[in-house]
Amino acid sequence: MEIENLASPDDGVDGSMPITRRRRVAVIAIHGVADQKLGDTCQALAELLIAQTPNGFVYEPGVRQDEILQVKLLEPVQRTAMTPDGLRKQLRQSAGSDFLREGGTAAGKKRSLAQGAPLSKGAAFTDYMLAKAKRADTPIDTYTAPSVAMTRQKGSAADEVDIHEMYWADLSRLSGLVPRILTELFTLLFRLSALGRDTVQFQAAAEAYEHDPVWRALAWLQMLLDVGYSRVLALLFLQLVMIALILVPFGLLLPDANPLHQAASVIGGMAAGLWHFYRSRRAVIALAIGAIVGVCLWIAPPVWVDGLLWIALLSLLYDWWMRVCEERFTLVRPVGWILWTISVATVILFAVKAASNDLAMWVWGALSALEVVLLLIVVWWMLVAPIMLAWLCTSIYASHRRGADSPAGAGYNVRAKSSVATGRVGLFVSLGFFIIITMTAWALVTTGVEHAVEHVPYDPIVFKPAPPAVPGDAVAPGLTTAGIFLDERFVNSTSGFSVITLLLFPLVLYLVLMLLPSVLAELGLISQQFGKLGRWLTGGYRKLDRVALTFVAAAVATALLAAVVLVAARFGVDLAPTWLGRHLKFFGELSKDWLKYFMITAGTATLAFTAAGGLLSRYAPWLRAPLDAALDVDNHFREFPRRAIPRARIFSRYVAVLKHVAAQEYERIVIVSHSQGTVISADLFRYMKERAANAKAAGTDDDVARLWRAVGSKIMLLTAGCPLRQLYAARFPEMYDWVLRDDGATMGPAAADVGVALWVNVYTTGDYVGRWLWSRTAHMDEYPLSQIDEIQGGETYTPTRIDASDWRTLMGEASVKDVSIGAGAHTHYFAPGQDVMAAIVDALIAE
């Protein structure tokens, strides 16, 4: 890259020579994964240029301005047809993305991801997201666009440089509110499994595998496990929480139900009156209705009024939560209501059979419902364990299939391995952590529930207790107490906690050890051994899929063993004298001890976040950084809720910024992006470029095509810590196959793929999110995507660190280039001491 010499070295800046205004350049800064505030990124970039005086140019600061832009949703190319809402639509949407069906609707036929479509797969997925947001009537928004006006000067020549910011964290990132953090944490937990399912289904729909019966079977099994986990098992655990909300109040108020009955009568009358007033706005009639209902409840049998009214209130709370979940995961509300109906019916049925005239009848009914739910969980594991085994075997076989019509060397086998690995990790991590969290929560809840009902006699209907150890017990023969029963259920249902922890902990430890040197580099404790830092991280990524497969296989074996134990228990087989029984007892006792520590930790963390969640979020943002990073990736693919699809809103705002910049008629536009911002920029530019090309070929025109014609030829792209290759192409290979395109000499994306003339990628060797984008051609059959390194002759190639003085000869005639700036991790690319970064930004401004 050759930079024009704007002035001779003898020129000064003392005012002796007239200043010549040469050019106007716009820089658009787009942030990545961090806890930035609006305006932070453009300010950091301005401070970097001012501090470094790159390539001898002095950057004079100007005025920061904020302008309010109107943000309209981008108009999609494809308009999705209206499909009636209903259970069939929810079933199809819960089984996979509508994108995999023609027309982007739940009623469409299966879509093929073969080449030759008007839009590439990634661009078509963006258009599909926009179409869904359009159908949901996403409202018009506004964006306060910050900018910093600067002057780039050397001698008598000066350029006007305006740094604009494209801020998107508010559309994707967590707020500081603890309830929102917890809600998004559980959403992300289930979304990991859905991402794995979608990745496998996208690969199965690819040209090489769309007629392959093995891949069809794998996609079906992956979908079955995801739906069974997120729409059945999770809701069964929710039933346990709802039943606990029946047990605790009735157990505590069992000695004296009069206050509860009186309160229920008053609350019921007020609720009826307020409901009628809300519907009719007639205060007198509403007051009369409230009084009548209150009196009727007061004189009705107290135990039935209290129980049914409390269940009705819980049902309203339950339905509200189901509606919240339904916005994110379809089919949750119908399945949830089926299970809640079963739970309520069981509570009422066995309350009637209890033949009691006090609140103990509701305790009996709730304990019976608890047994039914636990039995359903046992049945779930019995059914799912063999499906898991079939899924694991099918995934191993599918990962080695090239595809019937895939050409040799096309890399389909590599994509298959990576897609399978993503499906495995997504399901394993999601399900494993869900079980650990629910077992810990069950341990916390059980303590309170046991205390509330510990003296209530109870005769179990499914899980019969062992004979009493002490003869002459006060409890009648055939009965136990609710406290003893719950304690036995707690011990038995959490006996596998230690096993699950032992399966997940080594994988977490592996990731910690893999990333530890990068974290030390982030803290500035490693700054010299950049080659060793990069090789350590690369080696960790190379072995990650094999390590994950080992633990997934162990988890499937454990699930099968658990199913055998559950079947044996149901048929009365005593395993205690066997080696299996002895090991089960050992792990059960170990689980009980470990859960105590988890309960203390979970309780302390909950209290800390509840009491000081805002302060911790503000002053210790690194505590939530992993969740933010995972959430940003997930939001890039998330399709629900339809009125707030993150990708559609972020891209629409980005286009509004580009329109604002285009209206000012700059000679050049330099995009400086970091982390997830690089993916947002690349995907948007690729979409706009393809839309403009299609419009030109068809002789049509639209706003997106006109905007791209105005700005596309002016854009220079600089990416830092770009995860396109290391994360997106490695984990979602079918959607990002263009990132690893092989032209025979170089593997990586072309600048033309995203419609820019020049693309420079900057990275540190320890960046765990993104490093290089281009490499020499690798042996695709030997290395899965997550293992690809700079390979030449079978040996790892370590890029040379580029100093600030080397940038002049960096590019040559190439349109793409990687630049390693030495040791470091994922942040601090725009820190004031980054001289190489400043030099490259200045070079792109002057190009």
Side-chain angles (χ1 to χ4, degrees):
M1 177 174 56
E2 187 175 344
I3 307 302
E4 181 182 2
N5 187 7
L6 299 179
S8 68
D10 297 330
D11 289 335
V13 293
D14 57 0
S16 58
M17 299 180 63
I19 300 299
T20 304
R21 299 283 178 181
R22 293 291 302 270
R23 301 155 64 249
R24 295 183 69 242
V25 179
V27 177
I28 301 178
I30 175 167
H31 65 85
V33 175
D35 196 30
Q36 297 95 340
K37 301 294 186 297
L38 180 66
D40 284 358
T41 306
C42 66
Q43 181 175 334
L45 186 57
E47 291 174 354
L48 171 63
L49 295 173
I50 292 171
Q52 288 297 324
T53 60
N55 310 314
F57 284 88
V58 176
Y59 280 81
E60 297 288 343
V63 179
R64 171 175 167 171
Q65 295 181 339
D66 291 345
E67 298 188 52
I68 299 177
L69 308 181
Q70 184 187 63
V71 180
K72 291 184 178 180
L73 183 71
L74 276 178
E75 289 288 336
V77 175
Q78 180 184 9
R79 300 297 179 93
T80 58
M82 292 291 292
T83 54
D85 293 332
L87 185 60
R88 179 177 295 182
K89 177 180 178 179
Q90 291 178 319
L91 282 169
R92 288 175 174 171
Q93 289 180 336
S94 66
S97 171
D98 283 347
F99 176 67
L100 291 176
R101 286 174 281 274
E102 291 179 1
T105 65
K109 297 180 180 179
K110 183 178 178 182
R111 179 203 295 257
S112 171
L113 295 186
Q115 302 293 333
L119 294 174
S120 64
K121 286 168 282 192
F125 188 67
T126 295
D127 196 72
Y128 157 78
M129 293 279 210
L130 293 172
K132 289 297 184 183
K134 181 70 175 178
R135 266 196 55 196
D137 296 325
T138 300
I140 295 176
D141 201 359
T142 59
Y143 170 56
T144 302
S147 63
V148 178
M150 305 181 71
T151 301
R152 175 181 180 268
Q153 187 173 338
K154 185 176 184 180
S156 62
D159 297 332
E160 294 179 12
V161 179
D162 295 335
I163 302 180
H164 302 265
E165 180 173 322
M166 166 53 205
Y167 182 76
W168 54 269
D170 57 319
L171 303 179
S172 175
R173 199 64 48 77
L174 291 176
S175 67
L177 300 176
V178 175
R180 171 74 190 281
I181 293 176
L182 294 177
T183 301
E184 289 299 333
L185 175 62
F186 274 94
T187 300
L188 183 61
L189 195 64
F190 297 116
R191 280 288 304 163
L192 287 175
S193 176
L195 281 174
R197 176 205 66 195
D198 289 345
T199 303
V200 171
Q201 290 182 339
F202 286 171
Q203 188 65 55
E207 184 176 10
Y209 299 108
E210 60 180 333
H211 302 298
D212 191 323
V214 176
W215 270 94
R216 284 185 179 179
L218 177 60
W220 187 80
L221 290 170
Q222 188 92 32
M223 176 273 298
L224 199 62
L225 290 173
D226 173 69
V227 172
Y229 154 53
S230 61
R231 270 72 171 183
V232 180
L233 182 64
L235 291 171
L236 285 173
F237 276 102
L238 181 60
Q239 304 311 302
L240 298 179
V241 176
M242 299 301 297
I243 292 169
L245 293 177
I246 299 176
L247 284 170
V248 172
F250 288 153
L252 292 175
L253 294 172
L254 188 58
D256 185 9
N258 286 330
L260 177 64
H261 174 64
Q262 295 167 3
S265 301
V266 174
I267 293 173
M270 291 177 61
L274 289 173
W275 178 82
H276 189 274
F277 178 74
Y278 173 76
R279 298 294 299 270
S280 65
R281 300 296 178 182
R282 297 177 180 176
V284 176
I285 297 178
L287 183 63
I289 290 176
I292 293 172
V293 171
V295 171
C296 291
L297 292 176
W298 191 282
I299 64 176
V303 67
W304 281 101
V305 170
D306 299 343
L308 293 177
L309 186 60
W310 181 243
I311 290 174
L313 292 175
L314 288 179
S315 298
L316 291 175
L317 175 65
Y318 183 82
D319 186 64
W320 168 79
W321 182 245
M322 288 294 97
R323 291 178 185 274
V324 172
C325 296
E326 186 71 21
E327 290 182 353
R328 294 165 171 81
F329 303 98
T330 57
L331 199 66
V332 167
R333 189 164 177 250
V335 175
W337 265 105
I338 290 173
L339 295 177
W340 179 236
T341 302
I342 294 172
S343 299
V344 170
T346 306
V347 170
I348 295 175
L349 175 64
F350 283 91
V352 173
K353 291 182 65 176
S356 174
N357 292 323
D358 58 13
L359 293 179
M361 62 181 286
W362 294 111
V363 175
W364 274 60
L367 289 172
S368 301
L370 179 72
E371 288 195 74
V372 171
V373 173
L374 290 175
L375 180 62
L376 290 175
I377 293 175
V378 168
V379 172
W380 188 92
W381 277 110
M382 290 179 178
L383 295 175
V384 167
I387 297 176
M388 283 186 174
L389 179 61
W391 164 75
L392 178 64
C393 296
T394 306
S395 69
I396 294 173
Y397 184 42
S399 65
H400 291 85
R401 291 176 67 84
R402 176 177 292 279
D405 53 353
S406 58
Y412 285 105
N413 183 250
V414 180
R415 296 183 208 166
K417 289 181 179 179
S418 294
S419 297
V420 166
T422 301
R424 287 191 196 125
V425 172
L427 180 63
F428 172 68
V429 173
S430 180
L431 182 57
F433 276 104
F434 171 78
I435 293 174
I436 285 181
I437 291 172
T438 51
M439 283 187 176
T440 305
W442 178 237
L444 289 168
V445 170
T446 301
T447 303
V449 175
E450 286 180 11
H451 175 72
V453 300
E454 58 184 346
H455 298 302
V456 178
Y458 178 63
D459 182 14
I461 61 174
V462 178
F463 301 95
K464 296 293 183 180
V470 180
D473 198 316
V475 180
L479 295 178
T480 183
T481 65
I484 294 174
F485 168 76
L486 287 172
D487 184 67
E488 289 179 352
R489 289 302 93 219
F490 164 71
V491 171
N492 291 334
S493 60
T494 59
S495 59
F497 179 83
S498 58
V499 178
I500 299 169
T501 304
L502 288 173
L503 288 173
L504 280 173
F505 178 74
L507 180 60
V508 173
L509 180 61
Y510 178 88
L511 293 173
V512 169
L513 293 176
M514 182 181 79
L515 300 177
L516 181 60
S518 296
V519 173
L520 296 177
E522 194 89 78
L523 299 174
L525 301 178
I526 296 178
S527 59
Q528 299 298 325
Q529 299 177 331
F530 54 88
K532 290 183 179 179
L533 178 63
R535 285 190 289 272
W536 175 271
L537 185 60
T538 299
Y541 276 122
R542 283 184 174 182
K543 299 177 179 65
L544 180 58
D545 287 347
R546 281 174 283 180
V547 171
L549 175 59
T550 301
F551 291 112
V552 170
V556 171
T558 303
L560 284 171
L561 185 61
V564 171
V565 172
L566 293 172
V567 171
R570 289 298 88 217
F571 284 95
V573 178
D574 186 11
L575 298 174
T578 65
W579 67 270
L580 180 58
R582 291 191 293 272
H583 282 82
L584 288 174
K585 182 179 179 181
F586 168 76
F587 283 112
E589 294 174 351
L590 190 64
S591 298
K592 195 171 183 179
D593 293 335
W594 286 8
L595 266 173
K596 293 178 182 177
Y597 298 106
F598 270 81
M599 287 170 60
I600 295 172
T601 303
T604 304
T606 302
L607 288 175
F609 276 106
T610 302
L615 293 176
L616 289 173
S617 179
R618 179 177 300 176
Y619 295 108
W622 53 269
L623 286 174
R624 61 179 231 184
L627 181 58
D628 277 334
L631 187 63
D632 288 340
V633 175
D634 173 50
N635 278 337
H636 200 59
F637 297 99
R638 189 178 293 189
E639 302 178 28
F640 294 94
R642 296 298 201 197
R643 282 175 59 86
I645 297 176
R647 186 190 290 215
R649 299 178 70 195
I650 291 171
F651 281 19
S652 297
R653 179 181 291 183
Y654 206 149
V655 168
V657 173
L658 289 174
K659 286 181 178 178
H660 174 63
V661 170
Q664 301 179 55
E665 298 182 349
Y666 292 99
E667 296 180 35
R668 172 155 299 116
I669 302 172
V670 178
I671 306 293
V672 180
S673 56
H674 174 234
S675 187
Q676 181 67 15
T678 68
V679 180
I680 293 171
S681 299
D683 274 340
L684 176 62
F685 293 167
R686 186 170 169 81
Y687 173 68
M688 295 178 69
K689 181 208 72 166
E690 292 187 19
R691 276 193 64 167
N694 290 342
K696 182 179 180 181
T700 59
D701 207 1
D702 59 37
D703 289 342
V704 174
R706 285 190 293 270
L707 177 60
W708 186 252
R709 287 197 302 269
V711 301
S713 60
K714 300 178 180 180
I715 292 178
M716 304 286 183
L717 179 60
L718 172 61
T719 55
C722 178
L724 275 172
R725 177 165 182 160
Q726 188 165 283
L727 176 59
Y728 280 83
R731 293 295 123 209
F732 316 107
E734 192 58 35
M735 196 64 69
Y736 288 89
D737 57 344
W738 60 276
V739 176
L740 286 169
R741 185 175 291 114
D742 188 357
D743 64 5
T746 303
M747 180 181 295
D753 288 335
V754 295
V756 301
L758 193 62
W759 186 352
V760 180
N761 179 62
V762 177
Y763 67 95
T764 59
T765 58
D767 194 326
Y768 44 84
V769 173
R771 291 182 290 173
W772 57 82
L773 290 177
W774 298 279
S775 68
R776 303 182 183 96
T777 298
H779 301 287
M780 292 292 287
D781 291 337
E782 298 178 14
Y783 297 92
L785 298 184
S786 58
Q787 299 175 10
I788 288 179
D789 198 350
E790 298 263 7
I791 296 172
Q792 179 68 20
E795 297 184 3
T796 301
Y797 168 74
T798 303
T800 303
R801 183 182 185 277
I802 301 297
D803 294 319
S805 59
D806 298 328
W807 68 266
R808 291 182 181 274
T809 58
L810 180 64
M811 291 296 296
E813 298 298 324
S815 60
V816 295
K817 187 66 179 181
D818 277 319
V819 180
S820 169
I821 58 175
H826 189 57
T827 60
H828 307 303
Y829 281 99
F830 301 147
Q834 290 287 5
D835 56 338
V836 179
M837 190 73 177
I840 294 174
V841 172
D842 179 77
L844 293 177
I845 291 173
E847 169 64 15

